[in-house]
Structure formats: C-alpha cells, structure tokens
Amino acid sequence: MTKFTDLGLDQSLLDAVSDLGFEKPSEVQEKAIPILLEDETDLVALAQTGTGKTAAFGFPLIQKIDSNSRTTQGLILSPTRELCLQITNELKLYSKYEKNVNVVAIYGGASITDQARQIKRGAQIVVATPGRMKDMINRGLVNITKIDYCVLDEADEMLNMGFFEDIKDILSNTPDEKSTWLFSATMPREVSIIAKKFMHSPKEITVGAKNSGASTVQHEYYQVSGRDRYPALKRLADTNPGIFSVVFCRTKRDTQRVAEMLIEDGYNAGALHGDLSQNQRDLVMNSFRKKQIQMLVATDVAARGIDVDDVTHVINYQLPDEIETYTHRSGRTGRAGKSGISMVLVTRSETRKIRAIENKINQKFILKTIPTGMEICEIQLYHLANKIKDAEINEEIESYLPAINDVFAGIEREELIKKIVSAEFTRFYNYYNKAKDLNSSSSDRGERGERRERGQRGGEVPTSGSVRYFINVGEKDDYDWMSLKDFIRETANLGKEDVFKVDVKESFSFFNTDASVTEQVLSTFTEFKVDGRFVNVEVSKNPGGGRRGGGGRRFGGGGGRDRGRDRDRSGGRNKRRDGGSSQGGGGTFSGKRRSKKRNTDFF
Ligand code: ADP
Ligand code: MG
C-alpha cells in the first residue's frame, strides 16, 4: 500500500496532509504526484469526479514553485467561480506550513480591481476561470508570460461550457517551455484536441474506466407522465427523509419554478441559476453547504463542479440535451468514496435516451417505481418514531414539565404514543391517503385506481409472490444496501438472489424476499441480538417498490405545511424569491451523515 510519505513530498506538505486527515493517497494522487514531482512533463490525467484530483496537482505544484519569488509561476484554469474558490481554499490548506506561498482566485462576478490588487502583491499561483482570466490579460492586470506550470482542471467541463477559444487565447500568452497538466473526468473530442494542440507528448494516467461516471453511483429511472413530474419529485423526496440533493432542470425558468413550488410545499429547497445575482447564488450555496437546503434545484451551468460531499441524490427532473451532461450531473453525488444515487424522471417517449446514456456511461439503469402514498406513509411513520426516540432532550423544558405532565395525566403510555405519532402523522396521511399511482408503464393504464390501493391491503403474511420486510437497522448502524443485503443473506442462510429491493433508511430498512423463504427469515430474526441489541424483522404492510436511499426527511415540525397540492397550478407566476431561501423549522436537517468530513465554507 502506498503512503503519502512514499510520494516524494516535502515534510511541510506531509504535515498539511495529516492535518487534512488524508490517510492514504487516492489512486490518481498515487499515480500523478511522483510523476509531476520528478519530471518536467506534460500530463493528461483522467479520473472521475471525487477522486481527489485537486491534491494530485496541488501538492506537486506547491512543492515545485519558488516561494521566494513573487512571480506568477502556476496558473490553474477551472470552469466555475465555485471551483476556483474551492481549489484556492484547498491549496491554501495544502501550503499552510509553507512560508510565502500566495494563491489568488480570479473569477467573474466580483471586483476585478480587488483581484488585480491581490495579484499585484505577488501571487505565485493564480486560480482562474477562463473568462475572467482573458479579461485580465487583455487589461494587462495579470502577467502569465513566465509561468512554468499550467493546470487545466475539469477540462471537459470547461470545454463543455464553450471555453475552447478562451483557453486557446490564454495559452497563447504563456511560454512554450512550461508544463501543462490536464485533469478531466472524461475525454471528449475537444479535450483531445486541446491535448494535441497544446501539449508535448504528455504522459497519460487513467483512473477507473474512461468516460464513465463515478462507479459508486447507482443510476435509477422512473417513468412518469410529463405532468406528473413535480408530484413524482415530491414523492422521491418524501421516501428519502434525509435527502441531500441536487435537482437538475433544463432551463432557468423551470429551475426557479420547481424551487418555488418546493419551498411553498414546505421543503428546504433553493434555486441556483444564472439569472440570480452573485450574492444570491452565494447565499444559496452557503445554505446548501450547511445543509439547510436539502434540495438544491439547479441548471447545469450553475451547478458545474459543485463540490459538496455527502450529496445523497442527484435528481434529473428533466434529462439534459447532451448525454455528456448527464455524467457531470451524476458526478455531483458518490463523491469522496461514498455511494450516491442518480435518479431520472422520464416520460415513456424519453426511455430510449436512457439506453443511450447507459451505453455512454457503461452502467445499467434500474427501472424503479414511484412509491405509492401508503409506502411513503409507512416510511415516514417509522422515521417519525425513530426521530422521537432519538430526540435529544432539551433541558429548557424542565421547568414546564409539571404543567405538561398535568396535561397528559391519566393517559396510558400506549395511548400517548399513539397520540404523539398521530399528531404529526395525520397531516401526512391525509395528503397521501388518496394519492394516485404516478408510474406510467404501458401495462398500468386504466388501472391506476386499483394499483393505488395495493399498499393498504394485505397485512397478513402472503404465501406466494414477494414479501417485503421491515428491519430495525439502517444507515446509523453503518449499513448500506449492499452490506445489509449480505448481512440478511448470511444470517438467514439465504441464496445470492434471495434478498432484493433492499432499501436502507437512516435507522431502519426494508427488503424483499420471495414468500417461500419468509418462514426462514422470520424465524432467524426471532429474539435475534447483535451486540446486545435486538434486531427485529417484521413483514411490512407494503409490498414496496425497489427504492433505496438514506436518511429521514423530517415532516411536520415547521416545514410541513400544505402538502395538499400535488401540483401548483398557480406556481411560477414570476414570484421571484431571491433564489429561494431555506425554509421552515430553523433549517434543521435531521439526516446526520456518518462520516463527518472537513466542512469547507468559502463565503
Ligand atoms: P475531484 O477534483 O477529483 O472531483 P476533489 O479534489 O475535489 O476531487 O476531492 C474530493 C474530496 O475528497 C475532497 O473533499 C477532498 O478533500 C477529499 N480528498 C482528496 N484526497 C483525499 C485523500 N487522499 N484522502 C481522503 N480524502 C481526500
Ligand atoms: Mg476537481
């Protein structure tokens, strides 16, 4: 196993590595860092999003520049302002034990004179968006004629955004005898053109399969009719109570509209698109990073390169026009080694596009069904129960307790539980109680009314078909769908294909088996303990869809008002909402992510 200490990095940088908590180099770091440190060479590095490319070029760059000189020696081009700031921030952390290293970010939407002033003070490394960089070169505010290193980060995204000409212009202002390091998730034609035109026999490294999205992402699609997109979106959110997601729309208008509808319906949502002012965008991104916004509705351009770890779901409200764009979207989740889900809402006529994407990303999509209202109710009910169980007791209520106890006097524990849960749950139930089936598959036309009810029937253990179970372990216990599946299979001694539709929530989960093994499952998990704790399996009332996902979206409690509309007919009436602020309950976000990572806040 390669360690950071094997790569040839100076002690000051290794100290920074350990402060960052990086235990071992990622694959792209392991491959790129020694090459870049040893040789003066051009490099093309292909690695998926979230694989640690910033450090792969950042550490060698910092080590190689001469910090005693004030000359600009390294230029990093990156597609968006957000990315520029992220990279700058990272580089500052990497160089914290280096004296005199100055890294300056240059991007549009902020004062060009301020940026010029910072450059003038002496920045050995400049991190820039192509547009602003070109602007500053033209105005003579920055000098890149002496750089030794040029990094093209997220090259595919930059070219996708139409920066080809700008990049060409910028590179023509740089010396020939520099080294160019190109980092990209994918290798579309334009990237190879840049590599051919501006690089000299670059070394190449590839991490993972070319042109594929992060393999930790599961791709799912849901067939709905066009007018059911919005209610379907809500159901996806409601089935995943701890969702932390980016929702992609095709146009700025749709982005704003969907965000507004979600906010009105009580979700913690916000909009991110180019019609918002820089200030508004900063506010939204800030709330998103803090997880006050659980659903960030964004256009492709505005969301480019957003590097927020822990995004649990990417939702394609509409499919993008370009297949390539899909890779960028789904790359917003499954970062830093975590798993993620990319969901796509399609109409039946769009299904063929799914096939095209599958070919491109070399991964299969799973056809899922939009959960029924009653399935959602069941999930929310368990979620609520667990939330109450796990609630931290607020000492402030102490002095009011005698009075509160008076109110509850004479109510039995069981009755009290029923009442507490009902108080929160009934509103939810009322909304979903009569909700229709939203899936538009060819077979279910005309029988929607019947299918809708399927969740409420049953109850007793079926003897044929598939059985859905509830189990009282979940993400909190460090399970994901794969590990839980293994656990159940091994414990109950079942075959490889016997356990399916494993759906892991924050503190509980669902799974299916064939009815023929129900006895076996239930008898295994009778009085079954792990680490002294009872692991309980029960037959769920709902046959269940095949969703999976994590956490628990809160309901009731401030945010849950007015879910009574599946579609907002009056919505989108140009009620500009300043990008959508987070709303409800002081922005509490109940979906605790387990691995608490460094929280980078830039604004
Ligand atoms: P990319 O540019 O390839 O999409 P980033 O450089 O933005 O990926 O890194 C993604 C995340 O992984 C960041 O939060 C970063 O701090 C973290 N990271 C990078 N390298 C390591 C490492 N060696 N160990 C642990 N975390 C890392
Ligand atoms: Mg990156």
Side-chain angles (χ1 to χ4, degrees):
M1 189 188 83
T2 311
K3 298 194 287 284
F4 268 106
T5 44
D6 301 335
L7 302 178
L9 291 169
D10 292 345
Q11 190 56 45
S12 58
L13 298 179
L14 292 173
D15 290 344
V17 166
S18 64
D19 283 4
L20 284 162
F22 293 180
E23 279 164 16
K24 60 177 175 51
S26 69
E27 195 180 340
V28 66
Q29 292 162 4
E30 183 182 328
K31 287 184 171 162
I33 293 174
I35 296 179
L36 297 179
L37 286 178
E38 269 165 37
D39 294 332
E40 291 304 324
T41 177
D42 285 356
L43 175 80
V44 172
L46 295 183
Q48 299 152 358
T49 31
T51 50
K53 293 192 285 294
T54 317
F57 62 77
F59 280 112
L61 185 60
I62 291 166
Q63 183 153 326
K64 293 192 109 171
I65 56 157
D66 175 7
S67 55
N68 294 318
S69 154
R70 313 255 85 186
T71 313
T72 299
Q73 301 155 52
L75 169 67
I76 300 167
L77 290 177
S78 144
T80 63
R81 164 203 157 92
E82 255 78 40
L83 276 176
C84 279
L85 287 166
Q86 266 167 35
I87 294 167
T88 307
N89 202 56
E90 290 269 315
L91 295 196
K92 285 183 176 159
L93 292 171
Y94 302 166
S95 60
K96 67 191 267 205
Y97 297 115
E98 295 277 338
K99 275 188 231 88
N100 307 326
V101 173
N102 281 320
V103 188
V104 169
I106 282 182
Y107 48 83
S111 159
I112 198 165
T113 36
D114 284 354
Q115 292 174 357
R117 203 172 302 132
Q118 289 183 53
I119 297 274
K120 226 172 161 185
R121 273 189 233 132
Q124 295 98 345
I125 300 174
V126 172
V127 188
T129 53
R132 177 53 66 98
M133 189 65 204
K134 214 185 131 193
D135 209 6
M136 292 191 74
I137 293 172
N138 290 341
R139 298 206 211 173
L141 298 175
V142 63
N143 180 355
I144 53 167
T145 58
K146 299 213 171 61
I147 62 169
D148 301 309
Y149 307 100
C150 179
V151 181
L152 303 173
D153 187 33
E154 313 262 359
D156 52 350
E157 298 198 353
M158 282 199 284
L159 295 167
N160 253 332
M161 291 169 73
F163 283 134
F164 185 77
E165 290 300 321
D166 285 351
I167 292 172
K168 252 174 40 185
D169 287 356
I170 293 166
L171 291 178
S172 68
N173 279 281
T174 61
D176 276 343
E177 57 284 5
K178 64 177 182 307
S179 300
T180 305
W181 306 341
L182 183 151
F183 286 79
S184 189
T186 59
M187 191 75 178
R189 211 170 44 91
E190 297 92 328
V191 175
S192 15
I193 294 176
I194 289 275
K196 278 210 189 74
K197 233 179 146 76
F198 295 101
M199 299 170 77
H200 309 289
S201 39
K203 296 210 166 146
E204 243 193 76
I205 57 181
T206 305
V207 171
K210 279 187 197 181
N211 280 337
S212 72
S215 57
T216 43
V217 177
Q218 169 165 311
H219 303 266
E220 303 176 349
Y221 72 106
Y222 297 81
Q223 273 184 18
V224 296
S225 84
R227 59 177 198 290
D228 284 337
R229 270 186 217 278
Y230 179 68
L233 173 67
K234 282 175 59 169
R235 287 201 196 176
L236 294 179
D238 289 338
T239 358
N240 294 286
I243 197 166
F244 181 50
S245 61
V246 186
V247 179
F248 284 98
C249 296
R250 231 187 325 230
T251 63
K252 295 176 200 168
R253 225 181 107 245
D254 285 345
T255 302
Q256 182 67 26
R257 195 176 53 91
V258 169
E260 281 179 12
M261 290 195 290
L262 286 171
I263 292 164
E264 266 179 45
D265 284 344
Y267 295 83
N268 298 322
L272 187 72
H273 56 73
D275 280 354
L276 303 171
S277 72
Q278 193 59 62
N279 193 29
Q280 289 169 328
R281 275 192 275 170
D282 287 351
L283 284 172
V284 172
M285 275 311 293
N286 226 354
S287 312
F288 187 58
R289 281 181 215 286
K290 291 192 189 136
K291 299 189 173 162
Q292 288 159 347
I293 287 179
Q294 283 182 268
M295 303 179 80
L296 179 71
V297 191
T299 57
D300 287 298
V301 173
R304 274 286 144 77
I306 288 178
D307 176 27
V308 175
D309 292 342
D310 297 339
V311 168
T312 59
H313 295 75
V314 163
I315 303 179
N316 294 263
Y317 188 77
Q318 295 142 338
L319 271 177
D321 290 326
E322 304 282 327
I323 295 179
E324 197 70 44
T325 308
Y326 179 81
T327 320
H328 296 299
R329 288 182 175 187
S330 58
R332 296 308 126 222
T333 184
R335 298 179 68 78
K338 287 175 204 141
S339 59
I341 302 173
S342 174
M343 299 169 151
V344 184
L345 294 171
V346 286
T347 59
R348 240 181 312 153
S349 62
E350 289 172 323
T351 313
R352 59 184 173 77
K353 290 195 187 167
I354 294 289
R355 301 284 98 80
I357 296 173
E358 283 181 337
N359 287 336
K360 184 89 186 173
I361 64 173
N362 237 331
Q363 253 180 288
K364 284 268 173 245
F365 272 79
I366 304 169
L367 173 62
K368 293 283 178 94
T369 47
I370 299 284
T372 64
M374 288 324 288
E375 285 173 65
I376 292 173
C377 284
E378 184 177 5
I379 287 168
Q380 291 284 349
L381 197 47
Y382 289 130
H383 176 67
L384 172 64
N386 277 290
K387 198 179 117 182
I388 294 173
K389 181 174 127 256
D390 295 340
E392 240 174 72
I393 291 184
N394 185 335
E395 300 303 336
E396 294 297 310
I397 64 173
E398 196 64 36
S399 56
Y400 304 99
L401 274 182
I404 292 171
N405 281 327
D406 282 350
V407 174
F408 292 138
I411 305 179
E412 294 293 326
R413 175 192 142 95
E414 218 147 274
E415 173 110 9
L416 188 59
I417 290 176
K418 279 188 203 162
K419 278 177 187 280
I420 290 173
V421 173
S422 303
E424 283 287 321
F425 179 66
T426 303
R427 187 169 31 185
F428 218 90
Y429 175 82
N430 286 344
Y431 173 55
Y432 273 121
N433 181 22
K434 295 200 176 60
K436 63 170 187 169
D437 185 356
L438 296 181
N439 297 289
S440 73
S441 66
S442 42
S443 59
D444 71 356
R445 297 185 125 199
E447 48 171 285
R448 290 182 159 180
E450 276 164 30
R451 290 193 32 158
R452 175 224 317 159
E453 295 292 344
R454 68 187 168 144
Q456 278 169 294
R457 307 265 153 81
E460 71 274 12
V461 181
T463 50
S464 65
S466 134
V467 179
R468 189 140 178 93
Y469 307 82
F470 164 86
I471 183 166
N472 64 336
V473 296
E475 279 192 337
K476 254 184 16 190
D477 309 291
D478 278 351
Y479 284 106
D480 61 14
W481 67 278
M482 276 185 281
S483 57
L484 184 64
K485 186 176 181 159
D486 289 343
F487 167 70
I488 295 164
R489 248 180 29 210
E490 282 159 21
T491 312
N493 214 356
L494 297 169
K496 201 157 185 291
E497 308 295 327
D498 284 345
V499 179
F500 49 97
K501 291 182 177 168
V502 180
D503 207 356
V504 178
K505 304 290 170 197
E506 198 177 339
S507 43
F508 54 88
S509 311
F510 297 97
F511 64 94
N512 281 30
T513 71
D514 193 82
S516 59
V517 297
T518 300
E519 266 301 318
Q520 200 173 331
V521 173
L522 293 178
S523 59
T524 305
F525 291 101
T526 307
E527 306 274 302
F528 185 85
K529 275 187 183 179
V530 174
D531 296 338
R533 190 183 133 199
F534 279 108
V535 173
N536 202 7
V537 172
E538 280 157 35
V539 172
S540 157
K541 279 183 81 178
N542 290 305
R547 300 145 284 104
R548 71 173 189 86
R553 196 197 126 74
R554 140 190 87 108
F555 66 91
R561 83 192 151 90
D562 190 18
R563 280 146 185 282
R565 294 164 315 154
D566 246 359
R567 204 171 312 118
D568 178 22
R569 285 177 218 291
S570 68
R573 235 193 273 116
N574 293 332
K575 281 172 289 170
R576 169 59 36 93
R577 230 171 241 261
D578 293 348
S581 54
S582 83
Q583 109 129 59
T588 46
F589 176 54
S590 54
K592 297 183 284 306
R593 300 278 122 210
R594 266 175 287 116
S595 47
K596 198 73 221 116
K597 295 209 70 231
R598 202 158 41 79
N599 195 9
T600 35
D601 259 335
F602 304 105
F603 305 106

